[in-house]
Amino acid sequence: MNGYFPSIYAPPVATQYRMTLTVGEHTPRHIRRIVRAFLTDWNKEHLTEPAELAATELTTNVFRHVPDRRCTFLLRKQRKGVRLEVTDAYAQLHASPAESSPDAEGGRGLLLLTAMADKWGVTPTPTGGKTVWCELTTPSPV
């Protein structure tokens, strides 16, 4: 009868992380650390690399394209993966990957998101802004 009994005082593991912030040049590095920590807690370490890259692209777009650089970052655990969202108050949408010039110095972030995410999109908010989101899922065992 010496089995393990979890403490009734241990807090439950959070299933999402939300932060409202002003994005600076070092923000993506800090967001990557947060993403890595939560994915470890959720036993989804195998999604760390694509999730960190997605978080970097989403927050970098705010830094480059949103005038006040304010956003809300959301990382949510899902049954088969994770969802990342960045919501800002700027209604203008980024150029789609197909519209980016091959000679442009930037504009490949959404192309990377297309390549690594299982799903992604842009949803207008009721207040006139937008949410750019992506979902990464765990591959099914073969």
Side-chain angles (χ1 to χ4, degrees), residues 76-134:
R76 178 179 298 143
K77 179 182 177 185
Q78 295 183 315
R79 191 169 60 85
K80 292 187 176 186
V82 294
R83 179 178 174 107
L84 295 92
E85 298 181 1
V86 172
T87 302
D88 62 63
Y90 192 54
Q92 184 174 346
L93 302 177
H94 310 299
S96 69
E99 296 172 8
S100 297
S101 164
D103 298 331
E105 289 185 26
R108 291 180 185 79
L110 294 179
L111 192 59
L112 284 171
L113 206 54
T114 301
M116 73 181 143
D118 296 290
K119 293 191 274 185
W120 77 272
V122 181
T123 307
T125 63
T127 57
K130 67 182 171 304
T131 298
V132 183
W133 58 270
C134 72

Side-chain angles (χ1 to χ4, degrees), residues 8-128:
I8 60 171
Y9 301 109
V13 175
T15 58
Q16 72 176 24
Y17 174 81
R18 180 186 310 264
M19 174 176 50
T20 299
L21 67 149
T22 301
V23 178
E25 67 180 86
H26 300 293
T27 299
R29 176 178 40 155
H30 299 300
I31 294 290
R32 285 192 301 270
R33 288 181 183 159
I34 291 166
V35 167
R36 187 179 317 120
F38 274 92
L39 291 177
T40 299
D41 285 349
W42 296 338
N43 295 317
K44 296 187 181 291
E45 294 93 343
H46 57 283
L47 294 174
T48 300
E49 189 174 325
E52 286 181 342
L53 185 55
T56 298
E57 293 305 327
L58 294 173
T59 54
T60 299
N61 279 343
V62 171
F63 183 76
R64 290 187 177 153
H65 303 292
V66 175
D68 66 0
R69 297 184 178 169
R70 302 266 313 144
C71 72
T72 299
F73 174 81
L74 173 70
L75 174 66
R76 178 179 298 143
K77 179 182 177 185
Q78 295 183 315
R79 191 169 60 85
K80 292 187 176 186
V82 294
R83 179 178 174 107
L84 295 92
E85 298 181 1
V86 172
T87 302
D88 62 63
Y90 192 54
Q92 184 174 346
L93 302 177
H94 310 299
S96 69
E99 296 172 8
S100 297
S101 164
D103 298 331
E105 289 185 26
R108 291 180 185 79
L110 294 179
L111 192 59
L112 284 171
L113 206 54
T114 301
M116 73 181 143
D118 296 290
K119 293 191 274 185
W120 77 272
V122 181
T123 307
T125 63
T127 57

